[in-house]
Amino acid sequence: MNKLIDKSAVFLSGGRKAFRLSVLCGMCTIASVNAQTSVEDSILNQFQIKEIAVNAPLQQPTGNHVQVKADQLAVSNTGQNLPYLLQMTPSLITTSDDGLGVGYTYFRVRGSDHTRINMTVDDVPLNDSESQTVFWVNMTDMASSLTSLDVQRGVGTSKNGSSAFGASVNMQTMPVEPVTNHFELAFNGGMYNTFREMVSAQIALPNSFYAKGRFSKVNSDGFLYRAASDLYSYSGAVGYMTRDTRLELSLLGGKERTYMAWDGVSYDVAYGLNGADRRYNPAGAYVDDEGNEAYYKNQTDNYAQQHARLHLTQRLTDRLWLNAALHYTHGSGYYEQYKAGKKFSAFGLPSYVDSNGNEVKRSDFVRLKNLGNHFYGGILSLRWLTDNVESRFGGAVSNYQGQHWGNITYIRDSLYPHPLPLDYEYYRSTGDKLDANVYAKANWHIINRQQEKLTLYGDLQYRYVDYRIDGINDEDLQPIPVHERFHFFNPKAGCSYSNRGHQTWFNFAIANREPSRKNYTEAGVHDIPRPERLYDYELGYLYTHRIFSLGANLYFMDYDNQLVLTGKYSDTGAFLTRNVKDSYRMGIELTGGVMMVNTANVRFRWDGNLTLSRNRILNYTDWFDVYDSNWDWQDNVERNLGEVTIAFSPSVTFGSFFDLNVYGVDMNIQTIVVSKQYLDNTMNEDAAIKPYTVTNLNLQYCFDGKRFKALEKGPAVTLRCQVNNLFDSKYASNGGNYASIVAGQFTASPWYYAQAGINVHAGFIVSW
């Protein structure tokens, strides 16, 4: 690792540009080729995902991705959102507002947050066009609709939607083999009144038609007080599938109502020190007329989303396939929030003078922030196969139209003299985004023997974005006229060699990314956002044996104008960012596994991963408020802090997974270790998340009715119990910090998000 860090000097000096140029020149010789999909995964299990040729995605032939099938996701699915089911992915960490992973849930890969991870469902973009993220709470129990999932770390192959800066997550819901009748009923309940109910059906119809559907309901009080979630989601599809044709019309949607839990708490509360209650939630707090602390009962977030998709895959000839899709998404919702002690001017209202001649500038308000949007588009690609070359040409176009507006529904000040209309509207703005791309990518199998393969690949994508924001900003009630056009060229290239279980690879990719809506609307006067660029280098080795596997992946992610998290949050819980000119993420991802026992009645396997990384901003400058010793504001000044560690970027993550099956009783133990993370880019030790270790235990046993003669066609019943945080670790996994200069000294004002201690869930699955 020290050698790797020393080598980074080549990239971080003037030689970096020369190195980029040499790589780009090398790409010109192989720019018309791209990679084959499949590689064994050495982390969770050695999954072999069967896909008909028409639907197999083109991916880089590397070991820096994890392929997971639906049954693996189901093992630990007790109502937590999808990121929590992927915790054994190298370099991936999760967090949630409610402490359980049922409400608002987020994840980061290699330190890159969820807004920088490209997510698709059946190749259709899932990320919201403006916020650039996926809110999993809108689609609870998404895992129950998936047939497979692939997490590709780094830039990866070209995807529809925004570029992947940390990872890409490609989810598949369409069947990958001939449909058979299948029905499933699942229920589990657990601590903090957490319940999940799910029913699904898949039916083979005459003449190659099929139908499928799912409905899930998830409720939880949350670990934190008043962090309740009331969620449901559904999916349904009708389709036609033959050897040459697949046509499917599908619907996917959900609705959520969650009590806010994004305000964070102090260090003592988060870690349960000095008798503090770790479940404390300050959201919605105010002082009532009797002087008592009270909580607004409707401090909730409410949102619904519906997705409709029409997919067609058609074999045109033995060597040529057509893929096409139309999609439409509608989203609408609001959150209701009690704001204590806010200025009238924050809502565009005048102050007033009371009967004593005093100017009254503040009061308590209840506000609604509303959102409505439409997202629609089309995708088209051709896949062409020869004996040694596999290529794909395609493109996509989509359009997003969003409305944002805010209302005041209550002012506590009964003496306020200015009349207001019902549901007074204090801001309104729009967002319109046109996104289009075309690409060409191909595989060239130079050596294509059964035991030995040498593959070159290339991937060229052009992406155009036209983004407009008009209206009044909700933060300062100022106009926000934004009209930006971006032209991005995203090339990728590399090679892979495999021989008798050994595989090596090298790939290089350039990704460009536009700022999000929040980057524009919540940027300070010093932080006008700019597009960012990533140069991603990946070099790896994987050895797969019948009994064990061992792999290593070196990565160097070199950024221009990276939008890094600052540790500051908006009052809506949004992560705030700012551009930094030069920064990088580098590390090594080690993976391994060994089958220790494999007999007819006993199987015992261990899999694990370890990431060691270095994440740096080379010359960090930021603006800080200055206060005197009495906390009276004095100034806002710029300070250069030199080279610093990027916020929310642990240098060590480790995952361990033991799986023991004895006569059909399956037990697995999962352990996650995450090192210290700074809450901002000042590297202040008083604003850091402590290292934490979390261990989860899962027990399952399946009664297969087919084993009994009396129940020859009986259902399979799986009983399971999940114990999360088995050793009751008191930890926080997220937070923020307001850094300022007080009496000449840097001062931290951090907050944290406490995560649940030990919690137990149990239930059953009936399938037939």
Side-chain angles (χ1 to χ4, degrees):
M1 184 62 185
N2 291 332
K3 291 182 179 179
L4 174 65
I5 294 172
D6 292 339
K7 293 286 187 181
S8 68
V10 176
F11 299 93
L12 302 178
S13 64
R16 178 168 57 182
K17 292 183 179 179
F19 183 83
R20 291 176 185 164
L21 181 60
S22 66
V23 172
L24 286 171
C25 291
M27 288 175 61
C28 293
T29 65
I30 55 175
S32 64
V33 291
N34 191 338
Q36 168 79 10
T37 322
S38 188
V39 65
E40 288 86 8
D41 170 3
S42 64
I43 301 147
L44 295 175
N45 276 311
Q46 308 303 313
F47 299 120
Q48 297 294 330
I49 297 181
K50 291 172 57 180
E51 298 194 47
I52 60 175
V54 57
N55 199 47
L58 256 68
Q59 295 175 334
Q60 300 167 356
T62 65
N64 61 336
H65 72 99
V66 176
Q67 291 181 329
V68 188
K69 292 181 70 174
D71 54 358
Q72 180 67 21
L73 294 171
V75 169
S76 55
N77 186 5
T78 58
Q80 292 178 306
N81 284 311
L82 185 61
Y84 274 73
L85 309 183
L86 301 175
Q87 291 187 92
M88 277 303 296
T89 302
S91 308
L92 185 149
I93 60 175
T94 60
T95 186
S96 69
D97 288 355
D98 71 338
L100 283 179
V102 177
Y104 273 90
T105 303
Y106 313 99
F107 69 115
R108 301 187 182 102
V109 179
R110 294 181 177 175
S112 295
D113 73 282
H114 54 100
T115 66
R116 327 176 67 64
I117 297 172
N118 175 284
M119 288 169 263
T120 60
V121 176
D122 300 322
D123 295 327
V124 174
L126 190 60
N127 298 66
D128 178 80
S129 292
E130 289 200 294
S131 67
Q132 297 187 356
T133 189
V134 172
F135 295 105
W136 298 103
V137 73
N138 297 331
M139 49 191 64
T140 185
D141 202 24
M142 178 70 179
S144 294
S145 289
L146 302 182
T147 56
S148 66
L149 176 148
D150 185 279
V151 182
Q152 169 81 54
R153 304 186 300 281
V155 171
T157 188
S158 290
K159 301 286 186 181
N160 295 311
S162 56
S163 295
F165 263 43
S168 55
V169 179
N170 181 33
M171 292 164 276
Q172 295 292 327
T173 67
M174 292 186 288
V176 295
E177 54 190 14
V179 173
T180 58
N181 292 340
H182 182 78
F183 306 91
E184 191 166 284
L185 176 67
F187 170 82
N188 60 261
M191 296 175 63
Y192 308 109
N193 288 321
T194 302
F195 297 96
R196 167 182 172 259
E197 303 92 27
M198 189 276 292
V199 58
S200 67
Q202 179 177 277
I203 303 172
L205 301 174
N207 301 317
S208 301
F209 285 91
Y210 64 88
K212 59 179 182 175
R214 173 192 61 84
F215 181 83
S216 299
K217 187 76 172 70
V218 177
N219 293 85
S220 177
D221 287 346
F223 169 65
L224 302 183
Y225 298 128
R226 301 175 314 283
S229 300
D230 184 3
L231 321 171
Y232 74 78
S233 71
Y234 62 86
S235 64
V238 292
Y240 172 79
M241 184 167 63
T242 65
R243 180 178 177 272
D244 295 332
T245 304
R246 180 185 357 225
L247 179 66
E248 181 178 288
L249 174 64
S250 62
L251 299 175
L252 173 69
K255 187 174 183 180
E256 59 90 7
R257 178 180 173 86
T258 57
Y259 195 97
M260 294 179 189
W262 63 50
D263 287 353
V265 295
S266 69
Y267 182 91
D268 283 1
V269 173
Y271 291 100
L273 304 178
N274 301 316
D277 187 351
R278 298 187 67 241
R279 300 186 66 190
Y280 173 67
N281 178 13
Y286 69 98
V287 178
D288 64 18
D289 294 335
E290 286 73 39
N292 301 313
E293 185 177 58
Y295 298 91
Y296 186 60
K297 65 179 181 179
N298 288 325
Q299 190 94 346
T300 58
D301 182 84
N302 307 262
Y303 196 78
Q305 197 170 59
Q306 303 86 34
H307 307 258
R309 305 187 299 269
L310 177 64
H311 285 270
L312 170 66
T313 302
Q314 179 65 50
R315 183 197 297 267
L316 301 177
T317 71
D318 288 342
R319 296 183 179 272
L320 186 64
W321 293 84
L322 168 71
N323 289 270
L326 297 173
H327 62 89
Y328 170 73
T329 299
H330 174 249
S332 62
Y334 68 94
Y335 71 78
E336 185 171 346
Q337 190 176 31
Y338 193 100
K339 299 294 291 183
K342 291 287 287 184
K343 289 184 177 181
F344 288 107
S345 59
F347 303 104
L349 299 174
S351 58
Y352 70 95
V353 178
D354 64 15
S355 58
N356 296 320
N358 299 316
E359 184 179 13
V360 180
K361 297 182 179 181
R362 298 176 182 270
S363 185
D364 293 359
F365 298 81
V366 173
R367 70 178 183 184
L368 300 183
K369 282 195 169 184
N370 307 272
L371 172 65
N373 53 66
H374 304 272
F375 176 62
Y376 51 89
I379 298 169
L380 182 68
S381 69
L382 287 170
R383 187 172 189 174
W384 180 56
L385 305 174
T386 67
D387 293 339
N388 293 311
V389 177
E390 177 184 10
S391 57
R392 179 170 286 181
F393 311 90
V397 61
S398 64
N399 194 56
Y400 175 93
Q401 298 173 329
Q403 293 281 339
H404 308 258
W405 71 98
N407 304 105
I408 297 299
T409 61
Y410 169 78
I411 301 178
R412 187 172 180 180
D413 192 332
S414 60
L415 300 178
Y416 190 68
H418 304 288
L420 296 178
L422 183 66
D423 293 338
Y424 163 73
E425 183 176 291
Y426 67 99
Y427 77 89
R428 180 175 286 269
S429 62
T430 61
D432 295 278
K433 189 173 185 179
L434 175 67
D435 192 331
N437 75 83
V438 292
Y439 64 84
K441 48 188 177 180
N443 309 337
W444 179 19
H445 306 296
I446 299 175
I447 300 175
N448 196 17
R449 305 187 185 101
Q450 183 175 2
Q451 295 291 339
E452 184 182 19
K453 297 181 186 299
L454 174 62
T455 302
L456 297 182
Y457 73 89
D459 183 336
L460 302 176
Q461 183 199 53
Y462 166 73
R463 181 166 173 252
Y464 170 74
V465 177
D466 187 317
Y467 187 34
R468 298 172 182 262
I469 305 176
D470 290 304
I472 301 299
N473 191 1
D474 60 322
E475 294 301 315
D476 54 15
L477 304 187
Q478 296 299 309
I480 45 171
V482 175
H483 186 193
E484 298 277 9
R485 292 189 177 95
F486 303 100
H487 300 270
F488 296 139
F489 176 57
N490 302 314
K492 309 168 185 69
C495 60
S496 171
Y497 176 75
S498 60
N499 189 3
R500 300 182 183 276
H502 298 271
Q503 184 183 21
T504 60
W505 61 85
F506 171 75
N507 51 279
F508 171 75
I510 297 176
N512 296 273
R513 190 178 180 91
E514 73 279 10
S516 70
R517 178 183 175 88
K518 286 295 183 183
N519 295 142
Y520 288 108
T521 61
E522 304 206 11
V525 64
H526 310 295
D527 296 320
I528 305 302
R530 298 182 298 277
E532 49 190 332
R533 175 172 293 177
L534 166 62
Y535 302 86
D536 182 25
Y537 309 84
E538 309 269 345
L539 173 65
Y541 168 79
L542 174 67
Y543 177 65
T544 303
H545 186 268
R546 179 177 54 86
I547 297 176
F548 69 93
S549 60
L550 182 65
N553 186 72
L554 292 165
Y555 66 88
F556 186 86
M557 304 172 74
D558 183 18
Y559 297 87
D560 281 341
N561 290 321
Q562 181 183 185
L563 282 161
V564 298
L565 297 172
T566 64
K568 299 176 183 178
Y569 288 49
S570 71
D571 65 354
T572 62
F575 304 86
L576 300 185
T577 60
R578 69 188 309 266
N579 290 104
V580 294
K581 176 57 180 172
D582 291 307
S583 59
Y584 68 90
R585 302 180 188 273
M586 62 185 299
I588 182 170
E589 296 165 327
L590 302 172
T591 59
V594 57
M595 181 69 75
M596 290 174 276
V597 180
N598 190 14
T599 66
N601 297 315
V602 179
R603 186 185 72 251
F604 185 34
R605 181 179 177 87
W606 174 82
D607 289 279
N609 62 77
L610 172 67
T611 298
L612 305 173
S613 67
R614 181 180 175 92
N615 310 277
R616 292 289 191 269
I617 303 171
L618 297 186
N619 189 27
Y620 184 65
T621 300
D622 205 347
W623 291 82
F624 302 92
D625 287 324
V626 179
Y627 299 87
D628 63 18
S629 58
N630 297 318
W631 280 92
D632 292 325
W633 186 85
Q634 302 293 308
D635 199 358
N636 183 255
V637 298
E638 187 178 25
R639 289 288 185 269
N640 187 307
L641 302 181
E643 182 174 329
V644 298
T645 295
I646 303 176
F648 304 101
S649 300
S651 59
V652 180
T653 60
F654 171 73
S656 171
F657 189 86
F658 287 96
D659 185 17
L660 173 64
N661 188 291
V662 180
Y663 290 93
V665 178
D666 192 68
M667 178 181 73
N668 59 67
I669 299 176
Q670 177 193 82
T671 300
I672 306 296
V673 180
V674 180
S675 67
K676 179 179 68 177
Q677 304 171 65
Y678 289 110
L679 291 172
D680 64 9
N681 301 305
T682 65
M683 295 181 64
N684 192 326
E685 297 296 334
D686 294 329
I689 302 172
K690 291 170 52 179
Y692 61 86
T693 299
V694 179
T695 298
N696 304 321
L697 170 68
N698 183 278
L699 297 169
Q700 290 199 88
Y701 182 73
C702 179
F703 298 91
D704 191 347
K706 297 177 181 179
R707 296 179 182 176
F708 305 98
K709 293 182 179 180
L711 297 172
E712 185 177 349
K713 296 183 179 181
V717 180
T718 302
L719 304 179
R720 62 182 181 181
C721 178
Q722 175 93 9
V723 184
N724 297 317
N725 198 355
L726 178 64
F727 300 113
D728 199 28
S729 174
K730 294 179 174 58
Y731 74 104
S733 59
N734 200 9
N737 179 51
Y738 173 68
S740 57
I741 301 173
V742 180
Q745 299 293 324
F746 267 105
T747 301
S749 300
W751 61 93
Y752 302 83
Y753 293 89
Q755 302 299 290
I758 184 171
N759 57 100
V760 183
H761 308 265
F764 62 85
I765 303 173
V766 181
S767 57
W768 65 97

